[in-house]
Amino acid sequence: MLSRRDQCDVRGSASTEAGPDRRATERLGTDEAGIARAASLLAIGGLVAFPTETVYGLGADARNAAAVASLYAAKGRPRFNPLIAHVGTPADARTVGHFDRTAVALAEAFWPGPLTLVVPLADETSVCDLARAGLRSVGIRVPSHPVARDILARCGFPVVAPSANLSGRISPTASDHVLADLDGRIDAVVEGGATAIGVESTIVACLGGAPILLRPGGVSREAIEQALGHRIGSELNKSGAPVSPGLLASHYAPRAAVRLDAVSVRPGEAVLLFGPNSPVGVDRSATVLNLSPAGDLTEAAANLFGFLRRLDSSGAATIAVAAIPPLGLGEAIVDRLRRAAADR
């Protein structure tokens, strides 16, 4: 660990933005050789995409300002949007941030898993200022995916890993999605199959007062409230600068416009359904996908980003989305769809 809170390594990164001489992104397996190669690239400042239980993340050494800068460049990500530090164990997390009783309770209940905790910085944190967007707090997650855990264990340092896509675009749930956006812009992708949950982690701020749900995700509000024994508030930052990842108003966006809560389908629209009921005029569309014909929100979350990509690739100017109940994982699905539909 580094000796000062804001000190960052400035080792040169192995990655830059794609250019005429940029070689193709390496495809790595999940065997010992692939994990070792991924960790070695991260250690020298490279960019490596890998699966988590939520979506594929684009990893960079959280201590290394040059690596973080190259990650921002590869994604085209606004530099005021902070990144989540991924660590291998809850003990590792305590070296990065300060945990109050609420943060400890949530970590014990949901780590490893799809929960990010935003906490005050530890006195000797190694996560560099650029990765935190200058904030005196840090988002931390201990993922449960075995490939992510193997990589983090081999690295032995925090790894920032926002979704492995161009900034604002649809998050990737398979390695092919990563390569569609970032082939030639990053060093490697670990090809670990489709992700299980399909939406990003839930983010909860534990910054000294009552905990605040900043972003719904893979852990439902109901599960968090059950673990804490009380209701939890929701609050988006009013200053315009995000206090954690994933809070930009326009995010997870396809090229097509997105029209929510559609009760009818207009000619030429692609259609995203949920459950057994269809909007009026769905037969007018040549491209129709159903997140879950049975109305299963877990299945819907896993399919969300992949189906949005498929509908976007149809060439339709608009994607009409049927109503989805905002309960459990439905809250996270609706949140992502609202951001996809926001003005850009």
Side-chain angles (χ1 to χ4, degrees):
M1 294 300 176
L2 302 184
S3 60
R4 292 193 299 113
R5 174 180 290 180
D6 293 321
Q7 184 177 354
C8 302
D9 289 348
V10 290
R11 297 184 296 272
S13 170
S15 296
T16 59
E17 289 195 69
D21 299 322
R22 183 76 173 100
R23 61 188 175 83
T25 296
E26 290 184 50
R27 278 73 159 172
L28 303 177
T30 59
D31 57 0
E32 177 66 19
I35 298 300
R37 175 62 174 161
S40 67
L41 285 169
L42 289 167
I44 62 171
L47 303 181
V48 179
F50 56 85
T52 76
E53 67 274 21
T54 56
V55 300
Y56 272 70
L58 179 57
D61 183 347
R63 309 166 301 171
N64 183 340
V68 173
S70 70
L71 184 151
Y72 281 124
K75 282 180 61 69
R77 186 181 179 99
R79 302 224 173 167
F80 55 80
N81 201 4
L83 304 170
I84 295 171
H86 294 66
V87 295
T89 69
D92 294 334
R94 301 294 283 271
T95 70
V96 175
H98 283 299
F99 284 65
D100 62 15
R101 290 183 181 178
T102 298
V104 170
L106 291 174
E108 289 177 348
F110 299 111
W111 278 358
L115 176 69
T116 294
L117 295 175
V118 178
V119 298
L121 288 177
D123 294 336
E124 301 294 333
T125 190
S126 59
V127 178
C128 72
D129 183 79
L130 183 60
R132 296 182 280 104
L135 298 173
R136 310 307 288 176
S137 59
V138 61
I140 310 171
R141 185 158 90 89
V142 180
S144 63
H145 195 289
V147 173
R149 292 177 65 79
D150 286 349
I151 291 171
L152 291 167
R154 179 64 71 98
C155 286
F157 51 78
V159 173
V160 292
S163 56
N165 55 285
L166 293 174
S167 185
R169 295 295 311 285
I170 303 169
S171 297
T173 55
S175 58
D176 286 349
H177 301 163
V178 176
L179 293 168
D181 273 7
L182 299 177
D183 193 11
R185 301 174 69 92
I186 65 175
D187 294 283
V189 57
V190 180
E191 298 185 310
T195 61
I197 295 176
V199 294
E200 291 83 358
S201 62
T202 300
I203 302 179
V204 176
C206 299
L207 296 171
I212 296 171
L213 179 66
L214 295 176
R215 180 181 75 181
V219 177
S220 70
R221 176 193 296 270
E222 293 85 350
I224 291 170
E225 292 177 343
Q226 183 175 9
L228 295 177
H230 59 76
R231 300 288 296 273
I232 184 171
S234 301
E235 178 179 310
L236 294 180
N237 184 34
K238 304 300 190 297
S239 69
V243 298
S244 82
L247 298 188
L248 292 178
S250 176
H251 211 61
Y252 318 109
R255 294 182 180 87
V258 175
R259 187 168 66 87
L260 301 180
D261 299 326
V263 296
S264 63
V265 178
R266 299 165 185 167
E269 290 184 322
V271 182
L272 185 64
L273 301 177
F274 174 78
N277 300 318
S278 298
V280 174
V282 71
D283 55 320
R284 299 172 185 165
S285 176
T287 310
V288 180
L289 294 175
N290 195 322
L291 290 169
S292 174
D296 184 323
L297 289 168
T298 299
E299 180 184 19
N303 286 332
L304 176 63
F305 290 132
F307 280 16
L308 279 175
R309 284 178 177 269
R310 287 170 59 184
L311 293 174
D312 201 27
S313 68
S314 73
T318 302
I319 299 171
V321 182
I324 296 171
L327 304 173
L329 275 176
E331 184 178 16
I333 296 169
V334 171
D335 173 80
R336 301 313 188 274
L337 287 169
R338 284 175 178 164
R339 294 176 191 274
D343 292 338
R344 305 169 195 173

